[in-house]
Amino acid sequence: MKQKPLHVLLVEDNAGDARLLREMFGTEQPGSFQLTHLLRMSDAIIHLGKGGVDVLLLDMGLPDAHGLDTVRQAHAMAPDIPLIVLTGLDDEELAADAMKEGAQDYLIKGQIENRALPRALRHAIERHRMQTETDLIRTNQMQFKDEFLSHVSHELRSPLTAIYGFVTILLDQLAGDLNSNQREYLEIVLRNIKQLQSMINDLLEVTGIQTGKLQIELQRTSVSDAVEYTVDTLLASASAKGITLSSDVERVLPSVCADPTRLRQILVILVDNAIKFTPASGVVKVQARTLEKDPNFLTVEVSDSGCGISPDMTERIFERLVQATDPALAGRKGLGLGLYICKELVTRLGGRIWAKSVPGRGSVFCFTVPVFSLSNLLAPAFKREKLMGSPITLVVTEIGSQTGWLSDEVRAEQSRGVRDLLQRCFHSDLDILLPKMGSAGAVELFFIVAITDRIGGEAITKRIREQFDDFEHTQRAGLTLLTSYRSLEAIKRNTNEPMKDFLEKAATQIQELLNEEISLRMVTNG
Amino acid sequence: MANKKILIIEDDGDVRLGYHVRLKANNYDTFFAVDAIGSLREARANKPDLIVLDLGLPGGDGFVVMDRLKTNPQLAVIPIIVVSGRGGFANRTRAQEAGARAFFEKPVDNDELLEAIRKVLGGPVQLEKAEFLPGPKRRKVLL
C-alpha cells in the first residue's frame, strides 16, 4: 500500500537555509514528503489553522516572531502538531527551552547530516504520539479514580441514612424507653455517624476540587452575613463544650467578591476546627476587617484559645490528609481534608490563607478575600482559555431605569460617570487583553457601552460592530457581544454556554453597579 | 382532623422504614413507592399531600418522576421534597427548576426534614432559600 506523503510545513525566512532544506527533501523518495514553505509566522498561523499539517519545521528568528515566542505561537495555534525548531549553532540553550515549550526536537542549521532530516521528522511525530498517549492514559486514570471515589461516597450515603434513621428513632424512644446506658451508647453511635458523614462530604468535596467540578459563583457578598451565619450555626456546639464563640466585625465593611456559599463553608470549617481543638471554657472568636496595607482585600480571622500548632506545621496543615497529630487530643477524628478544602476555596476566591500559632496558647487562622470590584468579578472571564481566542468583550448594558426625556446635562453626566467607572473596571485586565490585540489603537478597541434606552443600544452596538469589522485584529479575534437586551441575543458568536451564563450574570451586576454609581454622582453633583 | 398523607419514593427498604417510623410518630400517614412506575400509581391512588422523593431510582430517576407527575394536573400540584444521595450544585439546581420545594442530601437531619414538611404542608409559603444551599447548611445537619 502506498503511504500518504507527510505534509511538512517549513517556516523559514532565510532563503539559503530554506534552499538547503528543500534540497534535502529532494533527495528523499518521491511521494514520501510534501513540503510547504512559508516565510512569516502570521502566514504559518493561517496555514496551521487550515489543518492537514503532519509536522512543523520552525525557524526561531522570523520577521514577525522571534525566539521562544515562535514556539509559543505555533503551539498555541496547533498543539497537536509535532514541532521541530531550527536554530543556529550557538543557540542550543534556546533550543532546549523550546523543547520545554512543547517542541519535540531541534535541528542545528548547517549541521544537519544527510538522512538526519527524515529521521528527525519521523521521531518527532512518534514522540508526539507517545506523549499524547501517555497524557491520555494519565487523564483516564485520574478520572477513573475520581469517579470511583465519587461513586463510593454517594453509595455510602444510603446505608448511612438507614443507620442514622434508626439510631435517632431509638434515641427519641419511638421504639420504647431507653435506660441511661443504652442512651449513652447510642449517642456514641450517633456521634460516629456524624463523623462518617462529614468524612464522606469532605471526600466528595475533594473529588469535586480535583475534577474541576467545584462550583464557584462570584458575586457581591457580605462578610458580616457569612460570619453571622457561621456563629449562629455553631453556637450550639460551642456552648455544648462550654466554649465562648463570638464575633467582632468592623461596622462598615466593603462587600467582597466571593461565592457566599463557599465563604460560609470556609468559615464553618475554620470555626468548627477551632471549637474541636479548644478545651472547655475556652474562647473562639471570628473577626473581619479591611487590610491596612492593601485596601483591595478584607481579612477574616478565626482565633482560638486551644492547643495551638507547632511552627513547623503551620504551613503543612493545609496539605491534603495532614493533621496536627497530638496524641493528647484523642477523640477527634477526620480525614484531614477540611483545611485543604479551605485553602482550595480561598485560593479559588482569589485570596490567601495562613495560620499563626503558639503551641499551648491557641491558633489564629487568617484568610483574605478580594473586595468587590468589577475587574475582580470579570477577571476570570478573560483568563478562561475559551475566551482568550476572542479577547474583545463588548458589554452593552443599560443604565438607569429612567424613561422619557433626559436633559443634555444629565446625559453628559451619565456618560462621564460611565467612562470613569469603566476605566477603573478594566484597567487591571488590559495587560491580559492588549498584547493579543496588536498595539495600534488597542485601548480604543475595548468597550463597555452603557446606554439609557433600547433603540440607542441597538444603534450603538451596530456602529461599534461595524468599526470592529473594519479593523484587522478584531476581525480575526471575533467579537463577544454581551447585552442586557434579549432582542439582541445575549451573546453572539459565542457558543460556550457556561461562558454565556457567566457573562450574563456579570452584565446584571455591572448594571447594578452602574446604576449605583450614577445615582451617587447625581447626588454628589446636586 | 385527618392526618396528612405523605408518599415516600425511595428504593432502599431500610431507609423507607426509617422514614415511616419517624413520620408516623409525627402523625403523618405514609405510602410508599420504590420506582418511577410505582410512584405514579401510588400518587394517583392515594392523592398524597406531599411527596418525599429520592433521585436515584430504578426504572427512571427522580427527575423522570417529577416530569411525569407534571403531566397530570391533579398530581402536578403535589409539593415535592427531594432527599437524595446525589448532592451537588447541578442536581440541586435541576430539582429546584423542576419545582421541588426543598432539597436535602442524605442523611437529612430529622428536625430539618420535619420542619420542611411542616412548612410545605402549612400552605403555599415558599421555603427559605437557605434550604437550597449546599455546604454549610448541610453540614449543620450532623456537625
Side-chain angles (χ1 to χ4, degrees), chain A residues 154 157-162 164-170 172 174-175 190 193-195 197-198 201-202 204-205 215 217 229 232-234 237 261-262 264-266 268-269 272 276 341, chain B residues 10-19 21-23 25-26 54 83-91 105-111 130 133-143:
Chain A
H154 279 130
R157 283 182 161 176
S158 263
L160 193 63
T161 302
Y164 169 78
F166 286 101
V167 167
T168 52
I169 282 166
L170 293 176
D172 292 345
L174 303 182
L190 185 60
I193 294 169
K194 291 173 182 182
Q195 197 71 53
Q197 200 216 352
S198 142
N201 287 343
D202 284 355
L204 280 169
E205 197 74 89
Q215 290 280 346
E217 269 195 89
Y229 170 90
D232 282 354
T233 306
L234 293 172
S237 71
T261 314
R262 297 309 187 177
R264 285 199 295 260
Q265 191 179 355
I266 296 164
V268 167
I269 295 174
D272 183 53
K276 275 188 203 157
I341 293 169
Chain B
E10 163 66 62
D11 62 332
D12 185 310
D14 293 342
V15 174
R16 259 192 332 261
L17 181 59
Y19 283 143
V21 175
R22 176 66 58 182
L23 292 174
N26 284 275
D54 185 18
V83 182
S84 173
R86 290 195 216 166
F89 185 79
N91 284 320
E105 282 179 23
K106 279 180 182 174
V108 53
D109 179 85
N110 297 318
D111 292 340
L133 295 171
K137 184 74 185 176
R138 180 192 70 210
R139 286 173 168 276
K140 182 184 162 191
V141 177
L142 290 176
L143 270 173

Side-chain angles (χ1 to χ4, degrees), chain B residues 100-121:
Chain B
R101 301 286 289 277
F103 185 101
F104 294 104
E105 282 179 23
K106 279 180 182 174
V108 53
D109 179 85
N110 297 318
D111 292 340
E112 290 199 24
L113 179 62
L114 288 169
E115 196 191 329
I117 290 175
R118 266 192 298 274
K119 274 194 189 173
V120 172
L121 289 177

Side-chain angles (χ1 to χ4, degrees), chain A residues 142-257:
Chain A
M142 289 296 286
Q143 203 177 339
F144 173 77
K145 190 201 78 185
D146 289 329
E147 274 167 14
F148 174 76
L149 262 181
S150 168
H151 175 79
V152 167
S153 311
H154 279 130
E155 290 305 313
L156 288 174
R157 283 182 161 176
S158 263
L160 193 63
T161 302
I163 299 169
Y164 169 78
F166 286 101
V167 167
T168 52
I169 282 166
L170 293 176
L171 269 170
D172 292 345
Q173 311 197 64
L174 303 182
D177 292 346
L178 293 177
N179 66 35
S180 63
N181 274 343
Q182 287 166 337
R183 168 167 295 280
E184 188 193 334
Y185 300 158
L186 281 171
E187 269 162 6
I188 294 172
V189 178
L190 185 60
R191 203 167 64 225
N192 282 275
I193 294 169
K194 291 173 182 182
Q195 197 71 53
L196 197 56
Q197 200 216 352
S198 142
M199 288 180 195
I200 292 172
N201 287 343
D202 284 355
L203 265 179
L204 280 169
E205 197 74 89
V206 169
T207 38
I209 288 170
Q210 282 166 351
T211 47
K213 281 188 196 137
L214 192 68
Q215 290 280 346
I216 301 251
E217 269 195 89
L218 293 182
Q219 54 183 273
R220 236 174 152 174
T221 303
S222 155
V223 171
S224 346
D225 287 357
V227 171
E228 197 185 328
Y229 170 90
T230 309
V231 172
D232 282 354
T233 306
L234 293 172
L235 204 54
S237 71
S239 358
K241 269 189 83 177
I243 290 167
T244 315
L245 172 60
S246 66
S247 66
D248 177 11
V249 176
E250 253 177 46
R251 225 164 55 85
V252 188
L253 267 188
S255 41
V256 293
C257 186

Side-chain angles (χ1 to χ4, degrees), chain A residues 39-114:
Chain A
L39 303 173
R40 301 169 70 90
M41 195 67 210
S42 51
D43 297 330
I45 296 283
I46 293 169
H47 193 84
L48 285 169
K50 290 179 192 156
V53 175
D54 293 313
V55 59
L56 174 64
L57 264 176
L58 184 67
D59 180 28
M60 288 177 83
L62 295 167
D64 55 348
H66 201 81
L68 290 178
D69 196 37
T70 53
V71 181
R72 286 188 197 121
Q73 283 194 40
H75 199 64
M77 186 62 207
D80 297 332
I81 294 174
L83 165 64
I84 299 175
V85 292
L86 299 165
T87 60
L89 191 52
D90 47 358
D91 275 344
E92 278 209 71
E93 212 168 297
L94 182 66
D97 287 341
M99 289 183 68
K100 283 183 200 143
E101 294 282 342
Q104 266 68 44
D105 204 352
Y106 63 92
L107 291 171
I108 299 171
K109 292 193 218 175
Q111 306 277 308
I112 307 168
E113 288 164 36
N114 212 15

Side-chain angles (χ1 to χ4, degrees), chain A residues 382-397:
Chain A
F382 300 115
K383 286 177 187 138
R384 293 195 190 190
E385 275 175 37
K386 284 269 155 62
L387 202 69
M388 291 296 264
S390 62
I392 300 148
T393 298
L394 170 65
V395 182
V396 180
T397 184

Side-chain angles (χ1 to χ4, degrees), chain B residues 6-85:
Chain B
I6 298 179
L7 172 60
I8 314 280
I9 307 175
E10 163 66 62
D11 62 332
D12 185 310
D14 293 342
V15 174
R16 259 192 332 261
L17 181 59
Y19 283 143
H20 167 69
V21 175
R22 176 66 58 182
L23 292 174
K24 197 169 152 244
N26 284 275
N27 298 320
Y28 295 111
D29 289 343
T30 50
F31 306 91
F32 306 98
V34 298
D35 57 24
I37 297 166
S39 303
L40 272 289
R41 195 178 50 229
E42 286 298 318
R44 266 196 299 268
N46 295 305
K47 301 278 174 327
D49 298 293
L50 180 122
I51 292 173
V52 173
L53 176 67
D54 185 18
L55 289 182
L57 295 169
D61 67 7
F63 293 116
V64 172
V65 174
M66 282 196 261
D67 282 348
R68 291 201 191 149
L69 287 169
K70 263 186 252 166
T71 59
N72 180 330
Q74 276 191 306
L75 305 183
V77 294
I78 305 171
I80 294 171
I81 292 177
V82 173
V83 182
S84 173

